[in-house]
Every structure is written in structure tokens, then in C-alpha cells.
């Protein structure tokens, strides 16, 4: 598969989300962790030959956790039931004939192992090695199950064709090296030093994961943010103030937002970043300020209330309210457009009405009747709007 195939796959997934939204079954996007990421999670990583139903003769051990025992033959329940027929987008493909299976496993106890991300009888943590090709499972259509297909090779963040066994083994080695560095970070005894070390993992410019840094955001980095709490505020605030990567700034801001009032000392750095021309994602910065609830943010939030994006303006309005702006209701009411149109779609208008409703429910209801009483799409968008009387 070449790089041009990525937009096509994304379009198929998005299209199926939209089609699935009309059904009673909610769409479900299944996880697609890389071999690098799974190397950071698995209790053991082995290769072997399938010698009997659900039985693998181990030929290579890439990693085995100290607490795990991997015998020469292991049992992986359900392995034999996993499809070996590649997904063909409506056409019947011939089954593959693997030479080896590569397994990312959890220890299920009793001499049994479970592959990572086992969902609906198929697992992301099962890769089939066929000559110079690698096959694995992923979700091609949402909603839908994991399906078998060629494993993609990604280098420097770009899709670089189909992976070979050598590519995947190299990726596992890199993942295991990063796993060792992460464990060393967690072993730092001094909480302040550990917090500074954890913060370095939050940006591609400083993370030992490099361009793969975002693969550690959940759950590793969020778990550490909860564990370290206030100790992590200062290094995250420095990252928000100085990092060149917008995604890293947004992620650090979201961690600060999760801490709420415990991270108020970071407010000046978030404010300063929001004031910068071409600031990192303003949604992330505005949401952080709303969570920090610091009155010092009121001025910069007022400056952003005239954003062309109704959704951003709604976030700004909530931020003003939560930071204590006594004029928040007046300001957001003035920002609500007079009608729905191409520049102000229903969802954006409703987001603004929701923000006003949190600040002043009566004011929101009155504004709805003044401007949108005849717009059934607006009324049907929220329960509080549907419950309003038909006339006032």
C-alpha cells in the first residue's frame, strides 16, 4: 500500500461512521496500536509455528517479563479460529499460508496466553509472517470487526509501504528500548525529578519515543499526570510556553486542565501562549483556562470570543463564565448569530446556546424564542431545547 491509500481508508471509515449513525448500533472505532506500542504493553512477545489447534511452538522470544514463564509450546485460545483470509472489499480473497505467527501476549495464567486487543474473536496482537510479507488485523470499515490485511510500515511518521518481517522486528526492538527508558523514568525516586523526566516524554522534540511520542499519551502519560499531580504542573507549564509542536502544547494543556484548580499557577503561561499569533490549537488552550478558573484569563478570553468558529466561541464563553466574568452572559448572547446559515451551522449555534444555558438558563431560553423558535433542527438538538414550550 502506498501513501495515497491512507486518505482512501480514512474516507471509508468516516463514510461508514456517517452511515452507521442512522442505525441503532453505535459506531465503534477499534484500537490500532502499532507494533512499537504493543512492545511497550505486552507481557511477552514471541514468534513461533502453529503446530496444533491454538498451540504454538515458540522459535523466538523477543521479550518476556520477569514474572512470566514461556515454555517451548504455548496455548493461545482462539488462535485457530482467526481468519487467514484477507479482507477484499467485497471480493473473496485466497487464504494466506503463514510461515510463523508473531504474538504480543498477556499472561492469562495456567499456561495460557491472550493476545493484546482481542476483540470479537480477532486480535490486533496477532501478526502472521508469510515470506517477506506481514499480515495483521485492523478495522477497515466502522462499524465493523477487525479484518486481516497487510501490515503497514511507518517510518518517521509517514506510511512507507508494506512491512516486512525485518521491519516489524526492528520496530519491536525500538519499542522495547523505549520501554526500558520509560521504566527507568518511573523508577526515579524523587517526585520532582520524576515529574521533569515524565514531561520530557510529552513532546516529539524531547521524548525518547521521538515522532511516536503521542502513542504514549494514553494511558502512560495520563496515568503519571494523575499520580504526580502538582509536581508536574511547572514542567508542563514550561512546555506550553515554549514548545514548537502544537500537538504537544495541546496535550500538555489538557493535562493541566485535568488538574483543575491544582494547576492554577500555570495560568499565566497558558494565557501567554494563547496571546501568541498563530497560537497552538486555541481549543486546547481555552479549555485549559476554563478548567483552571483563573480570573487573570478573562481579558484574553474576551479577545477570542469573536472567533469565526462558533464552537471555539462557545468554549471561550464557558471559560469566561468559569473564570468569573460577570458579563459572560451578555457577551455570549451578543455572540450568538441571528440565524442559522452556511457560516453558522446548526451544531455551532447550538453549542453557543448550550454555553449560554450553563451561564443563564432563562436568558438562553428567551434568546431561542427570539431567534430560533421556528427552526426545528435547533430545537431537536438538545433535550433542554425540546422541553421548552412550543410558544412563549
Amino acid at each position: 500500500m502506498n501513501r495515497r491509500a491512507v486518505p482512501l481508508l480514512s474516507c471509508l471509515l468516516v463514510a461508514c461512521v456517517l452511515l452507521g449513525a442512522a442505525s441503532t448500533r453505535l459506531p465503534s472505532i477499534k484500537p490500532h496500536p502499532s507494533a512499537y506500542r504493543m512492545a511497550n504493553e505486552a507481557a511477552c512477545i514471541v514468534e513461533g509455528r502453529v503446530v496444533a489447534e491454538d498451540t504454538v511452538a515458540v522459535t523466538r522470544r523477543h521479550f518476556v517479563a520477569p514474572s512470566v514463564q514461556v515454555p517451548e509450546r504455548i496455548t493461545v485460545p482462539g488462535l485457530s479460529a482467526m481468519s487467514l483470509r484477507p479482507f477484499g472489499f467485497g471480493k473473496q480473497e485466497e487464504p494466506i499460508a503463514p510461515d510463523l505467527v508473531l504474538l504480543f501476549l498477556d499472561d492469562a495464567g495456567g499456561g495460557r496466553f491472550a493476545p493484546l486487543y482481542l476483540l470479537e474473536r480477532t486480535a490486533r496482537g496477532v501478526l502472521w509472517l508469510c515470506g517477506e510479507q506481514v499480515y495483521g488485523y485492523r478495522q477497515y470499515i466502522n462499524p465493523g470487526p477487525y479484518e486481516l490485511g497487510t501490515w503497514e510500515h511507518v517510518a518517521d511518521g509517514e506510511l512507507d509501504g508494506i512491512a516486512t518481517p525485518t521491519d516489524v522486528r526492528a520496530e519491536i526492538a525500538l519499542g522495547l528500548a523505549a520501554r526500558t527508558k520509560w521504566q527507568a523514568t518511573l523508577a526515579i525516586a524523587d517526585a520532582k525529578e520524576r515529574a521533569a523526566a515524565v514531561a520530557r516524554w510529552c513532546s516529539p522534540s524531547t521524548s525518547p519515543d521521538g515522532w511516536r511520542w503521542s502513542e504514549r499519551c494514553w494511558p502512560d502519560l495520563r496515568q503519571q499526570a494523575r499520580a504526580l499531580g502538582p509536581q508536574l504542573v511547572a514542567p508542563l507549564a514550561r512546555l506550553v510556553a515554549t514548545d514548537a509542536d502544537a500537538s504537544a502544547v495541546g496535550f500538555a494543556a489538557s493535562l493541566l486542565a485535568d488538574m483543575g484548580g491544582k494547576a492554577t499557577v500555570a495560568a499565566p503561561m497558558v494565557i501567554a501562549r494563547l496571546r501568541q499569533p498563530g497560537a497552538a490549537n486555541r481549543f486546547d488552550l481555552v479549555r485549559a483556562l476554563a478548567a483552571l478558573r483563573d480570573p487573570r484569563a478573562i481579558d484574553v478570553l474576551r479577545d477570542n470570543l469573536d472567533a469565526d468558529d462558533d464552537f471555539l466561541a462557545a468554549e471561550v464563553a464557558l471559560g469566561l463564565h468559569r473564570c468569573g466574568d460577570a458579563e459572560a452572559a451578555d457577551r455570549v448572547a451578543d455572540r450568538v448569530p441571528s440565524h442559522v446559515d452556511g457560516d453558522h451551522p446548526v451544531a455551532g449555534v447550538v453549542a453557543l446556546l448550550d454555553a449560554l444555558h450553563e451561564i443563564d438558563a432563562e436568558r438562553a431560553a428567551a434568546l431561542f424564542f427570539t431567534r430560533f423558535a421556528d427552526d426545528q433542527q435547533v430545537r431537536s438538538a438538545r433535550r433542554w431545547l425540546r422541553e421548552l414550550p412550543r410558544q412563549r
Side-chain angles (χ1 to χ4, degrees):
M1 183 180 292
N2 58 32
R3 295 181 186 180
R4 294 180 63 189
V6 174
L8 173 60
L9 178 57
S10 300
C11 290
L12 285 170
L13 284 168
V14 170
C16 292
V17 168
L18 296 176
L19 289 172
S23 68
T24 56
R25 180 182 178 185
L26 292 176
S28 175
I29 299 177
K30 292 177 170 54
H32 289 63
S34 65
Y36 181 97
R37 176 59 205 172
M38 290 191 290
N40 281 266
E41 298 178 5
C44 61
I45 306 167
V46 300
E47 288 181 34
R49 298 188 310 275
V50 178
V51 294
E53 184 174 292
D54 296 345
T55 302
V56 174
V58 176
T59 58
R60 181 170 180 176
R61 294 167 174 81
H62 290 273
F63 171 78
V64 179
S67 60
V68 177
Q69 296 292 323
V70 177
E72 292 184 2
R73 293 195 176 195
I74 61 173
T75 300
V76 184
L79 183 64
S80 60
M82 296 186 189
S83 174
L84 294 179
R85 198 178 288 274
F87 181 61
F89 285 101
K91 65 179 181 179
Q92 190 79 352
E93 297 282 349
E94 291 298 316
I96 61 173
D99 304 309
L100 296 167
V101 63
L102 171 60
L103 300 165
F104 299 83
L105 300 170
D106 277 330
D107 185 3
R112 292 175 173 241
F113 296 86
L116 295 188
Y117 300 96
L118 177 62
L119 299 170
E120 299 173 0
R121 299 174 61 191
T122 310
R124 180 71 172 171
V126 174
L127 277 67
W128 302 101
L129 311 185
C130 304
E132 287 302 300
Q133 287 192 310
V134 179
Y135 289 83
Y137 300 96
R138 71 177 182 212
Q139 185 185 37
Y140 285 86
I141 295 177
N142 179 43
Y146 279 141
E147 300 280 6
L148 186 67
T150 51
W151 195 264
E152 295 171 346
H153 178 52
V154 180
D156 295 327
E158 297 287 344
L159 187 60
D160 191 29
I162 297 171
T164 66
T166 299
D167 293 330
V168 174
R169 289 167 183 145
E171 189 173 323
I172 290 170
L174 291 172
L176 291 174
R179 179 177 182 150
T180 298
K181 293 176 182 178
W182 176 247
Q183 293 303 317
T185 296
L186 300 185
I188 297 173
D190 182 81
K192 185 176 181 180
E193 292 181 12
R194 186 166 70 254
V198 167
R200 286 194 287 272
W201 291 82
C202 295
S203 169
S205 63
T206 55
S207 172
D209 287 323
W211 61 269
R212 292 185 179 274
W213 74 276
S214 61
E215 295 186 45
R216 199 172 296 276
C217 290
W218 185 267
D220 296 351
L221 293 173
R222 288 199 178 276
Q223 286 178 343
Q224 281 304 298
R226 288 193 293 270
L228 289 163
Q231 295 285 356
L232 197 55
V233 171
L236 287 178
R238 285 193 292 271
L239 192 158
V240 167
T242 63
D243 204 274
D245 188 271
S247 296
V249 171
F251 178 65
S254 74
L255 295 181
L256 292 170
D258 290 343
M259 298 181 203
K262 296 178 181 178
T264 302
V265 295
M269 279 69 86
V270 182
I271 291 168
R273 190 62 186 250
L274 185 55
R275 287 195 184 282
Q276 291 180 17
N281 192 312
R282 288 192 289 171
F283 276 94
D284 297 318
L285 297 170
V286 167
R287 286 168 181 160
L289 291 174
L292 299 180
R293 297 175 182 260
D294 192 318
R296 291 175 292 182
I298 290 175
D299 286 343
V300 72
L301 289 172
R302 286 179 174 179
D303 291 343
N304 281 272
L305 189 58
D306 63 353
D308 292 336
D309 189 317
D310 289 336
F311 297 99
L312 177 58
E315 294 288 343
V316 171
L318 291 173
L320 286 170
H321 173 57
R322 292 167 188 171
C323 290
D325 185 357
E327 299 176 10
D330 291 336
R331 291 181 179 278
V332 69
D334 290 341
R335 176 60 180 77
V336 176
S338 59
H339 58 278
V340 173
D341 58 23
D343 294 325
H344 302 285
V346 169
V349 170
V350 171
L352 285 164
L353 289 173
D354 275 342
L356 182 56
H357 186 259
E358 179 176 314
I359 301 166
D360 186 336
E362 284 297 317
R363 183 83 172 267
L367 193 148
F368 166 76
F369 282 112
T370 300
R371 302 184 188 179
F372 308 106
D374 295 329
D375 194 316
Q376 186 56 35
Q377 283 187 294
V378 174
R379 176 182 282 276
S380 63
R382 293 291 186 271
R383 179 177 178 179
W384 70 267
L385 286 165
R386 293 193 297 271
E387 292 177 347
L388 292 175
R390 287 291 168 181
Q391 294 182 343
R392 173 176 279 194

